Amino acid sequence: MNLFFVTTPLQYICAKEAKMYYQTLGNILVVKVSNNESERVGSQQLIDLIDDSDWDEVIYIRRSLTIPFVINKIRKNYPVVDGFFVSDYVGWYASVFLKNLSFNRYIYIDDGVMTVFQYNSHIKNQLMEVKEKKLYNLWLRVNGLKSIKFVGGHGNVEIFTMFDIDSNIHTVNRNRFSILRGMMSHNIYDGSAPVAFIGDGGVSDATIPESEYMDALNELSANNKGIVYFPHRTESASLTEKVLSVNNLSYYTPSSPIEMEVIKKSLKFSKVLGFGSTALYTLSILDEALPVEFIKINAENYYTKRLAELKLHFERQFNSDAN
């Protein structure tokens, strides 16, 4: 039996790709659905993507307190899990499953661009960090499970990723989105189509200053015939109001992740721009002819330094894949 644990739409897309790539048999999908209002859109997109017929069993976790019952049910029916597929190397929920299940293989699947950061900061050196939840730990022990104080530090991990990660420590297999590319019936790139701007979830004084964010949008508006703006699913109402005031901009609210939206609606773009969205990677894989551009931020802080790191990684990967 193979267990797949997902919490976001992209994780689910990557889980399906992993299931096909590894040709797994006996597949159980565990879905952690967030009840936070800020994640409502993403949770609904995740639920809408899931086709129960693709899995032997689908288990939804809507309340964290039910996690012990799910794990104990799995342990009772499957003393040893063949493959455990999960994102977020230092995630608390993932660590609860990892510590309380016996498994033969642990396969890390993408959680967007976090893969690049988590590989460099934790996976490569098998680092741990403290993430203790005392009340939850008490609840785990009451239900016969091991509690969690440290997350990460897993040595025996394979990586299934869209990113070009060079490692002589871990087995790395590339996710080329075979399922998504098999669904494509058109080319995304069209030189006469509008520019696509992928919104970012990190707009604040401590990350991407709103003033720089809006300056970038206004500059694009002045220099292009048309912009299709895709908001991040956590975008604030106040930012939306300002974005809507930009000239020459079409505000597109997708009903599904942008990768699925592009396929289902046969969307075309002359270029895709953003500050560091995972969609810059995924769309470039779906259509290698599509120009992709990372927008530079002048502000210097931890977040923008990571975006700069991401830009360099993309340029290296793009050049590598082209050769």
Side-chain angles (χ1 to χ4, degrees):
M1 188 276 293
N2 296 277
L3 184 66
F4 296 76
F5 181 79
V6 301
T7 62
T8 69
L10 180 65
Q11 289 178 19
Y12 179 73
I13 290 172
C14 293
K16 282 193 66 176
E17 296 284 352
K19 181 164 70 77
M20 188 181 81
Y21 182 89
Y22 288 92
Q23 293 292 292
T24 56
L25 298 174
N27 301 301
I28 294 178
L29 176 70
V30 177
V31 185
K32 175 66 176 69
V33 180
S34 175
N35 295 314
N36 293 335
E37 180 60 27
S38 63
E39 299 177 19
R40 178 181 56 83
V41 173
S43 292
Q44 190 58 54
Q45 288 184 359
L46 172 59
I47 292 169
D48 291 344
L49 280 176
I50 296 171
D51 183 347
D52 288 4
S53 66
D54 288 331
W55 306 90
D56 293 279
E57 184 177 1
V58 179
I59 301 171
Y60 290 92
I61 298 176
R62 299 181 184 276
R63 297 176 64 246
S64 299
L65 292 178
T66 63
I67 286 179
F69 306 114
V70 172
I71 292 177
N72 281 325
K73 175 185 175 182
I74 293 171
R75 290 201 306 185
K76 179 181 178 181
N77 295 330
Y78 307 98
V80 179
V81 175
D82 184 18
F84 182 46
F85 296 77
V86 64
S87 299
D88 198 355
Y89 188 78
V90 291
W92 188 83
Y93 295 112
S95 294
V96 172
F97 277 85
L98 284 165
K99 192 165 185 178
N100 287 284
L101 292 176
S102 295
F103 53 91
N104 294 325
R105 302 170 76 188
Y106 167 32
I107 299 94
Y108 177 97
I109 58 177
D110 282 325
D111 187 24
V113 296
M114 284 302 298
T115 298
V116 176
F117 304 134
Q118 288 195 359
Y119 183 79
N120 292 330
S121 64
H122 288 82
I123 299 175
K124 182 165 57 177
N125 298 311
Q126 299 177 25
L127 295 182
M128 295 186 295
E129 64 179 60
V130 176
K131 194 176 286 186
E132 186 175 15
K133 299 185 178 185
K134 293 184 179 180
L135 288 178
Y136 278 119
N137 277 340
L138 176 60
W139 182 240
L140 292 175
R141 291 194 295 271
V142 166
N143 286 280
L145 300 181
K146 298 174 183 177
S147 59
I148 301 297
K149 183 175 182 180
F150 298 98
V151 295
H154 315 290
N156 182 27
V157 56
E158 299 178 38
I159 303 171
F160 181 66
T161 177
M162 72 183 85
F163 304 103
D164 181 16
I165 292 176
D166 185 18
S167 174
N168 56 7
I169 304 171
H170 302 98
T171 299
V172 179
N173 292 306
R174 288 290 294 277
N175 179 7
R176 304 302 298 175
F177 291 103
S178 298
I179 295 175
L180 290 188
R181 287 191 290 112
M183 297 167 62
M184 294 284 295
S185 61
H186 76 294
N187 295 324
I188 303 174
Y189 173 66
D190 181 342
S192 62
V195 169
F197 185 101
I198 312 300
D200 200 283
V203 181
S204 72
D205 291 340
T207 53
I208 303 174
E210 188 177 279
S211 58
E212 284 204 51
Y213 191 86
M214 293 307 302
D215 286 347
L217 268 177
N218 284 309
E219 183 178 345
L220 282 172
S221 171
N223 296 320
N224 292 276
K225 293 181 179 179
I227 302 171
V228 180
Y229 178 88
F230 290 86
H232 191 273
R233 61 179 181 269
T234 62
E235 181 173 286
S236 68
S238 60
L239 179 58
T240 298
E241 185 178 355
K242 293 177 181 177
V243 170
L244 288 171
S245 69
V246 174
N247 294 325
N248 203 27
L249 180 144
S250 174
Y251 194 95
Y252 192 111
T253 305
S255 59
S256 56
I258 187 170
E259 298 82 8
M260 298 299 298
E261 199 78 6
V262 165
I263 293 170
K264 292 189 299 183
K265 305 291 178 61
S266 297
L267 301 181
K268 297 183 178 184
F269 311 118
S270 57
K271 182 189 288 188
V272 177
L273 304 97
F275 295 97
S277 170
T278 304
L280 299 173
Y281 281 86
T282 54
L283 294 179
S284 72
I285 294 173
L286 295 182
D287 187 345
E288 294 179 359
L290 180 67
V292 172
E293 182 179 326
F294 280 72
I295 300 170
K296 186 179 184 301
I297 293 293
N298 293 320
E300 292 189 6
N301 54 54
Y302 176 71
Y303 190 81
T304 56
K305 287 179 180 177
R306 294 180 82 176
L307 293 181
E309 174 189 345
L310 197 61
K311 180 177 184 294
L312 290 174
H313 187 280
F314 179 85
E315 290 171 348
R316 179 176 63 81
Q317 174 168 324
F318 184 82
N319 291 332
S320 174
D321 288 346
N323 294 326

